[in-house]
Amino acid sequence: MARPFAEISFTPSVRETQAKNGSANGYAKFLDGTRQEDSISPVEARFIGQRDGFYQATVSETGWPYVQFRGGPAGFLKVLDERTLAYADFRGNRQYLSTGNLLGNDRISLILMDYPNQRRLKIWGRAKLIDANADPALMQRLSEPGYRAHPERAIVIKLEAMDWNCPQHIPQRLTLEEFEDYLVPLRTELEALKARNARLEEALGQQN
């Protein structure tokens, strides 16, 4: 846990609640010392590049949070540099809730999940919306060849803080593609058994 995360998350009411529940002293150390900006290391970049979706939160002008799942090909959320992320915002149901929220409040939060390995990365940042026609070079950088979707804009996120969250209580789930790795040894064993059975049937047939 880094200090930028603590500064954003540990509000006065949160710290008061920590004190009431006996965890304040353990977390106070993260607000002490010299402040260092968070940056995306190769570890985070590799993790981000493997994700095919994430949960995204924005806040409306009336103060209501809005959380949605953003999905696409693995790696559609790009690391542009050690403090910048971006993705192509594809056309959806055209309610534009997140887009409208970000026009009024540029704060954004992402949670990236790795269910098979029970890991999650939380990201806080400030988002900038760039129309697809305004920066063709950026849109080309964010494009996913072969993915049939219409990008309307780029969402560029300047990192404010991030944190690897506790794996406790994360359920282990697999996509169909991820499950294939678990099926390979079973399929290999099944083919071996089928071949063995065929040999035994052939041998029995010759005896008869």
Side-chain angles (χ1 to χ4, degrees):
M1 185 185 299
R3 181 167 174 173
F5 161 74
E7 289 178 346
I8 289 175
S9 301
F10 296 167
T11 62
S13 59
V14 169
R15 296 185 70 184
E16 180 181 351
T17 304
Q18 290 173 349
K20 289 180 179 178
N21 289 276
S23 62
N25 291 337
Y27 286 119
K29 61 185 178 183
F30 295 107
L31 291 169
D32 297 333
T34 304
R35 189 184 197 280
Q36 293 184 340
E37 298 290 343
D38 268 341
S39 61
I40 302 169
S41 76
V43 173
E44 284 84 27
R46 184 166 54 253
F47 181 85
I48 292 168
Q50 293 170 342
R51 308 277 67 79
D52 61 1
F54 53 86
Y55 300 97
Q56 172 182 285
T58 56
V59 181
S60 73
E61 295 159 290
T62 54
W64 285 100
Y66 176 65
V67 180
Q68 67 171 176
F69 180 81
R70 305 307 299 259
F76 79 99
L77 178 61
K78 311 289 186 184
V79 176
L80 302 186
D81 60 48
E82 63 181 10
R83 291 190 53 77
T84 311
L85 300 163
Y87 67 90
D89 188 18
F90 301 115
R91 179 174 293 171
N93 58 16
R94 308 192 75 181
Q95 289 183 346
Y96 300 113
L97 298 183
S98 294
T99 303
N101 287 349
L102 289 171
L103 289 173
N105 185 336
D106 66 354
R107 291 179 177 88
I108 193 170
S109 181
L110 311 180
I111 294 182
L112 282 63
M113 300 297 303
D114 175 6
Y115 286 108
N117 298 297
Q118 297 173 294
R119 299 188 300 167
R120 61 185 159 197
L121 178 63
K122 298 186 294 188
I123 295 173
W124 289 261
R126 293 185 179 272
K128 181 179 180 181
L129 281 59
I130 301 176
D131 187 84
N133 297 322
D135 194 337
L138 174 61
M139 297 309 300
Q140 180 63 33
R141 188 175 180 183
L142 300 180
S143 68
E144 292 293 332
Y147 188 63
R148 299 181 62 181
H150 177 70
E152 294 186 315
R153 65 190 59 80
I155 308 295
V156 180
I157 302 169
K158 284 296 182 182
L159 180 69
E160 291 283 339
M162 63 182 177
D163 183 54
W164 287 98
N165 204 210
C166 171
Q168 190 176 13
H169 306 306
I170 297 177
Q172 191 172 37
R173 295 172 178 161
L174 301 170
T175 64
L176 291 175
E177 292 80 6
E178 291 164 343
F179 192 54
E180 282 297 318
D181 292 337
Y182 290 81
L183 290 178
V184 168
L186 296 176
R187 286 177 173 155
T188 301
E189 182 179 1
L190 178 60
E191 290 301 317
L193 291 172
K194 288 169 65 177
R196 180 183 177 187
N197 186 58
R199 291 193 299 269
L200 290 172
E201 288 182 347
E202 183 181 0
L204 289 173
Q206 292 174 353
Q207 291 176 4
N208 295 332

